[in-house]
Amino acid sequence: MHPMNRRNLLKGALCTSLVPLSAVKAPTALAASSDCFSFAFLSDTHIRPELGAAEACAMCFEQVSASPVDFVIHGGDHIEDALETGRARATMLMDLYQRTERAHLRKPVRHVIGNHDCFGVFPKSGIAPEEPGYGKQFYTDRFGPRYYAFDHKGVHFVVLDAIGITPDRNYEGRVDAPQLDWLRADLAARPKGQRVIVVTHIPLVTAMQCYEPESWLDTPHNWTFVVNGREVLRILKDYNVLAVLQGHSHVYEQIELNGIRFISTGAVAGADWRGSFLGTPEGYSEITVDGQAVSSRYLTYGFATPHRQDVPI
């Protein structure tokens, strides 16, 4: 069994989904109501030239492109990885991701910053903090703002940056104070009762600590969930938030808390391109919004690794 590296693949979660993980490739027809739409929420592509990852990402993107979804949200960790690699490797990986997306993902795409998208943060990278592109600038130079909002068919989407870079050149799950102020102001400016969906890489709410291997808790900071998530939830509680979409865990999980559905999608990369992770195969989520209801199903895309080393629960 290939030992999963806690730095490279953070965790898993038990699936409490509305649909089984055996969900298969072909999408079905969408509901007919006028305000119903669907979009693809994919995350953790962890693209690299090894292990057939680029070819598999192309397969996934082609399936999404052929589906009836309106658009795509990429939940972060586009590449594997920029945290502890040098400039040449990190640049090559990001070029590979963007080239693959341009060639195979023919839908509008929104991006979310992931921890692996931050450049040179770990000292092992050999990158000094004053160097160009250090940290989150590597992401913003390619994709734009770390946090932002957009609207689609009457739903207000809020994309957060949940990566907190720590003074000791590490990271934790955190939404920083300026962003919290922005979130308050953004939501306060919405029409009363407007539907809201929030997107974050590191989860705000997850059951992962219930089953996470103890060895993966031995980190200098909390890599599992947003440590000040309670502050975010206190802001969200006064608004019509339908769902929070989350990446990072590589496991398909749904939790409902105070009327908000927290949906963590499995990874396009599965167990870092070596099979399924804690029961979740390589795949992505298709999210459907119909009035006040949000539903999700997990879709695989036909990739079969020749390096299979599934990670069981």
Side-chain angles (χ1 to χ4, degrees):
M1 178 62 63
H2 176 78
M4 295 308 299
N5 186 324
R6 182 62 168 80
R7 178 168 293 167
N8 291 336
L9 178 55
L10 295 177
K11 69 284 170 161
L14 298 176
C15 174
T16 56
S17 63
L18 297 180
V19 295
L21 282 177
S22 57
V24 294
K25 295 173 61 176
T28 58
L30 300 179
S33 64
S34 60
D35 63 348
C36 178
F37 66 92
S38 71
F39 60 95
F41 178 48
L42 58 87
S43 191
D44 295 86
T45 43
H46 289 267
I47 204 167
R48 66 195 81 179
E50 303 83 17
L51 302 176
E55 294 80 5
C57 284
M59 289 174 61
C60 179
F61 293 171
E62 286 291 339
Q63 179 169 303
V64 171
S65 296
S67 75
V69 298
D70 286 6
F71 63 94
V72 177
I73 298 177
H74 191 306
D77 280 0
H78 299 72
I79 66 173
E80 178 65 35
D81 114 301
L83 279 171
E84 60 182 8
T85 57
R87 185 177 300 278
R89 171 81 177 178
T91 300
M92 178 273 291
L93 292 173
M94 192 60 82
D95 288 345
L96 176 60
Y97 174 81
Q98 292 193 305
R99 186 166 63 248
T100 304
E101 181 186 288
R102 285 193 298 268
H104 298 284
L105 195 49
R106 295 176 298 279
K107 299 281 185 178
V109 186
R110 304 283 183 166
H111 296 273
V112 183
I113 188 170
N115 48 291
H116 285 279
D117 301 323
C118 300
F119 173 56
V121 174
F122 291 169
K124 182 180 178 181
S125 67
I127 302 299
E130 60 271 15
E131 290 191 38
Y134 177 80
K136 298 179 182 182
Q137 185 183 342
F138 185 70
Y139 171 89
T140 59
D141 284 348
R142 300 287 188 135
F143 297 116
R146 298 180 292 113
Y147 55 93
Y148 59 95
F150 67 96
D151 295 282
H152 185 79
K153 295 184 177 178
V155 177
H156 187 63
F157 287 81
V158 176
V159 176
L160 298 178
D161 166 15
I163 315 302
I165 304 299
T166 58
D168 59 345
R169 296 191 61 175
N170 211 283
Y171 77 90
E172 64 181 356
R174 180 177 293 278
V175 178
D176 61 28
Q179 193 174 172
L180 292 175
D181 290 341
W182 170 85
L183 179 62
R184 291 186 188 94
D186 178 78
L187 293 178
R190 299 302 103 207
K192 184 175 178 60
Q194 182 172 12
R195 295 170 294 167
V196 176
I197 292 177
V198 177
V199 191
T200 173
H201 180 66
I202 298 180
L204 292 179
V205 174
T206 176
M208 188 167 52
Q209 282 195 312
C210 296
Y211 46 80
E212 186 177 22
E214 290 184 4
S215 61
W216 289 354
L217 299 175
D218 185 21
T219 59
H221 301 280
N222 190 329
W223 292 356
T224 301
F225 58 87
V226 173
V227 295
N228 64 331
R230 185 177 284 107
E231 292 182 78
V232 181
L233 295 177
R234 286 171 176 165
I235 296 172
L236 300 182
K237 69 179 178 60
D238 293 327
Y239 298 93
N240 185 22
V241 179
L242 305 182
V244 176
L245 307 181
Q246 310 173 140
H248 194 57
S249 69
H250 292 226
V251 173
Y252 185 54
E253 173 191 77
Q254 295 192 53
I255 295 172
E256 186 165 318
L257 175 67
N258 295 331
I260 300 175
R261 176 161 292 142
F262 295 82
I263 303 171
S264 297
T265 188
V268 173
D272 275 354
W273 299 112
R274 293 181 176 88
S276 64
F277 187 66
L278 301 184
T280 301
E282 303 91 343
Y284 63 96
S285 294
E286 185 178 276
I287 310 295
T288 298
V289 181
D290 190 355
Q292 292 291 320
V294 174
S295 60
S296 172
R297 60 178 185 155
Y298 191 71
L299 301 175
T300 58
Y301 57 91
F303 177 70
T305 177
H307 313 282
R308 182 164 298 280
Q309 296 177 352
D310 297 326
V311 178
I313 291 178

